[in-house]
Amino acid sequence: MEVGLNHFLIISAILFSLGIYGIITRKNAVMVLMGIELILNSANINFVAFARYGNFGLSGQVIALFVIILAAAEAAIALAIVLNIYKTFANVNVDEIDKLKE
């Protein structure tokens, strides 16, 4: 059995769905960030798969590398924000944090 474009698209759709599920259902800010990372990784799989099977050259890998760098920067900034929220409110539940200034 050969791995084709459909396999990559199915894996990507599953990761994207799990990411959306994690964002919608989780109240913990760290879990929401993990959902966002799953969505970004599903986009990376699509970029690489379409670059491989669509004969677009290396542009898909370059865009995937850019998305990985963007995700690393997003994770660093978001974790810093979550740490400050925890320091201020003593929890990271996104539903309970509704005041930006106390």
Side-chain angles (χ1 to χ4, degrees):
M1 182 174 155
E2 183 176 326
V3 177
L5 180 61
N6 289 336
H7 295 97
F8 288 106
L9 295 179
I10 290 170
I11 293 294
S12 176
I14 291 170
L15 277 178
F16 185 82
S17 300
L18 288 174
I20 292 292
Y21 177 76
I23 290 172
I24 292 173
T25 60
R26 299 296 178 177
K27 295 179 180 179
N28 190 329
V30 176
M31 298 304 282
V32 172
L33 290 175
M34 290 177 69
I36 293 171
E37 293 295 325
L38 283 177
I39 291 172
L40 291 174
N41 284 329
S42 72
N44 280 340
I45 289 173
N46 277 341
F47 281 130
V48 172
F50 283 117
R52 166 70 171 90
Y53 293 102
N55 294 327
F56 295 122
L58 291 176
S59 62
Q61 284 90 352
V62 171
I63 293 172
L65 184 63
F66 178 73
V67 171
I68 289 170
I69 293 168
L70 183 70
E74 173 261 335
I77 292 171
L79 286 175
I81 291 171
V82 168
L83 285 175
N84 277 331
I85 288 173
Y86 182 75
K87 187 175 162 185
T88 304
F89 296 103
N91 70 17
V92 290
N93 189 345
V94 292
D95 287 341
E96 296 177 6
I97 302 167
D98 56 353
K99 295 178 184 154
L100 292 177
K101 186 175 182 182
E102 284 219 5

